[in-house]
Amino acid sequence: MFFLWLYMFYSCAGSCSGLATRGSPAPPRAAPPLPQLPPGEPGEENSLEEQRAAPDAASPISTFFNGSGTKRLPQAIIIGVKKGGTRALLEFLRVHPDVRAVGAEPHFFDRNYERGLAWYRDLMPRTLEGQITMEKTPSYFVTKEAPARISSMSKGTKLIVVVRDPVTRAISDYTQTLSKKPDIPTFESLTFKNRTTGLIDTSWSAIQIGIYAKHLENWLLYFPIGQILFVSGERLISDPAGELGRVQDFLGLKRIITDKHFYFNKTKGFPCLKKAEGSSKPHCLGKTKGRTHPDIDQGVVQRLRDFYRPFNMKFYQMTGQDFGWD
């Protein structure tokens, strides 16, 4: 009955409108207003530029279905890490017909928790039965209160962490900040509490985020390790289909996103989608992705590698994965 009604609805969409305006040309339909997304915080991965550069609007049939369904709290969350590849993963996942995700970062479990779950749920897209609701906010991974808060919402929430060589990640983090604040101190000067002694300044967020083992310990107080998927930021670039296969399996989805969805953009240096969600055009992430890193003193880079090595080894043991950063 539903599909009969749907057929009549779309059949009438063309013919009935003509009957209603016979004798005079139909006025052009105004384009629907763009959704007002909450602005991203400075330094976050979802800049307003990227939101404006989102894929084309969905087809009429997609729009129709997106207007139905129910707003649900997310069953899966990409919780980190900043500059690890979370935006790429989310954009790739949104190609899947059974994934519906918020484009902007809600920052509910770190900055907006006092607004309540009803506010959070209202940010979510509508989903049909069998579809998964998702969001991504990379700062959750390093927020002490986030694990308990997410567990309080649902102990069954599936968590995804995109990790990347912590040294490269720190330099990428600095590069992003430098693009917004060109007068900040050098990477080398921010890295050390004391350059002479070589003591690393772990209070600097660019360094602190990369101590993955420390942050993971906090999450394991509330979630079993099997409920957290660790995605390699490096493999997300070198083998996006392979990593997406693991993610789809983890989420209980059919493996629909495959090699045929990607092409490698040599200019940007990372994979792009041949067709993004709701679009027939190729789609690469915005110009804020793939920035050229500044030259960093190799002695400082080596000191950072030595600093991170024991933490990396512990992280490999905790996750059962060797990410090959050493």
Side-chain angles (χ1 to χ4, degrees):
M1 187 67 187
F2 173 79
F3 289 102
L4 177 60
W5 177 86
L6 184 61
Y7 172 78
M8 294 175 65
F9 175 84
Y10 274 94
S11 297
C12 188
S15 59
C16 296
S17 60
L19 291 172
T21 58
R22 185 170 294 166
S24 61
R29 293 183 180 179
L34 292 172
Q36 298 299 306
L37 297 174
E41 296 292 332
E44 292 301 328
E45 294 207 358
N46 63 314
S47 68
L48 287 176
E49 288 178 302
E50 289 166 344
Q51 291 178 16
R52 291 179 184 128
D56 295 345
S59 65
I61 189 72
S62 299
T63 304
F64 170 77
F65 276 116
N66 291 345
S68 62
T70 305
K71 291 192 175 188
R72 298 179 174 89
L73 292 168
Q75 297 95 47
I77 303 176
I78 301 173
I79 59 173
V81 299
K82 181 184 178 185
K83 306 310 296 179
T86 59
R87 171 57 55 185
L89 178 61
L90 185 71
E91 291 302 315
F92 295 165
L93 273 175
R94 290 173 77 177
V95 172
H96 200 293
D98 289 334
V99 171
R100 299 281 290 134
V102 183
E105 295 170 4
H107 284 281
F108 176 65
F109 295 105
D110 58 352
R111 301 177 189 167
N112 295 302
Y113 195 62
E114 73 284 350
R115 293 176 180 263
L117 285 172
W119 177 87
Y120 183 49
R121 181 190 288 111
D122 195 52
L123 297 179
M124 299 300 134
R126 295 182 181 276
T127 54
L128 300 173
E129 193 66 34
Q131 291 183 316
I132 291 177
T133 302
M134 292 187 67
E135 70 117 319
K136 78 107 177 170
T137 304
S139 52
Y140 289 163
F141 188 63
V142 298
T143 300
K144 186 176 180 181
E145 300 81 10
R149 290 171 173 177
I150 294 176
S151 177
S152 177
M153 175 188 73
S154 172
K155 294 183 183 299
T157 306
K158 293 185 176 183
L159 308 172
I160 300 175
V161 187
V162 188
V163 287
R164 180 185 184 188
D165 180 330
V167 178
T168 308
R169 196 221 66 81
I171 296 172
S172 181
D173 199 336
Y174 173 80
T175 303
Q176 177 173 277
T177 305
L178 184 66
S179 71
K180 301 173 186 297
K181 302 176 181 178
D183 57 343
I184 62 171
T186 65
F187 181 87
E188 290 83 352
S189 63
L190 291 170
T191 296
F192 298 101
K193 280 187 177 179
N194 187 316
R195 182 72 183 268
T196 304
T197 62
L199 184 63
I200 301 294
D201 188 357
T202 56
S203 66
W204 184 29
S205 64
I207 300 295
Q208 197 257 353
I209 289 172
I211 309 175
Y212 303 138
K214 175 185 175 183
H215 303 301
L216 181 56
E217 285 178 342
N218 189 34
W219 287 89
L220 294 181
L221 296 175
Y222 298 91
F223 293 93
I225 193 72
Q227 210 166 307
I228 309 174
L229 180 70
F230 300 91
V231 174
S232 166
E234 287 82 11
R235 287 196 293 270
L236 198 57
I237 294 173
S238 64
D239 181 19
E243 284 300 279
L244 265 293
R246 294 179 60 241
V247 176
Q248 289 171 97
D249 291 347
F250 175 72
L251 296 175
L253 298 169
K254 183 179 179 181
R255 283 200 178 196
I256 289 177
I257 306 171
T258 62
D259 280 321
K260 68 183 181 182
H261 288 90
F262 302 98
Y263 73 95
F264 191 80
N265 185 305
K266 293 182 180 179
T267 302
K268 285 185 168 290
F270 50 73
C272 301
L273 290 167
K274 290 182 180 177
K275 292 182 181 181
E277 179 204 26
S279 173
S280 60
K281 301 177 182 178
H283 174 63
C284 281
L285 298 181
K287 62 182 180 181
T288 61
K289 305 302 177 186
R291 294 186 184 97
T292 302
H293 290 178
D295 290 329
I296 306 297
D297 184 298
Q298 287 306 299
V300 174
V301 172
Q302 187 56 51
R303 177 67 189 93
L304 273 176
R305 293 209 175 280
D306 295 339
F307 167 78
Y308 279 121
R309 187 170 293 109
F311 296 108
N312 290 346
M313 293 300 107
K314 185 175 181 181
F315 186 66
Y316 296 172
Q317 292 175 345
M318 295 171 77
T319 61
Q321 293 179 239
D322 184 338
F323 291 90
W325 296 324
D326 295 289

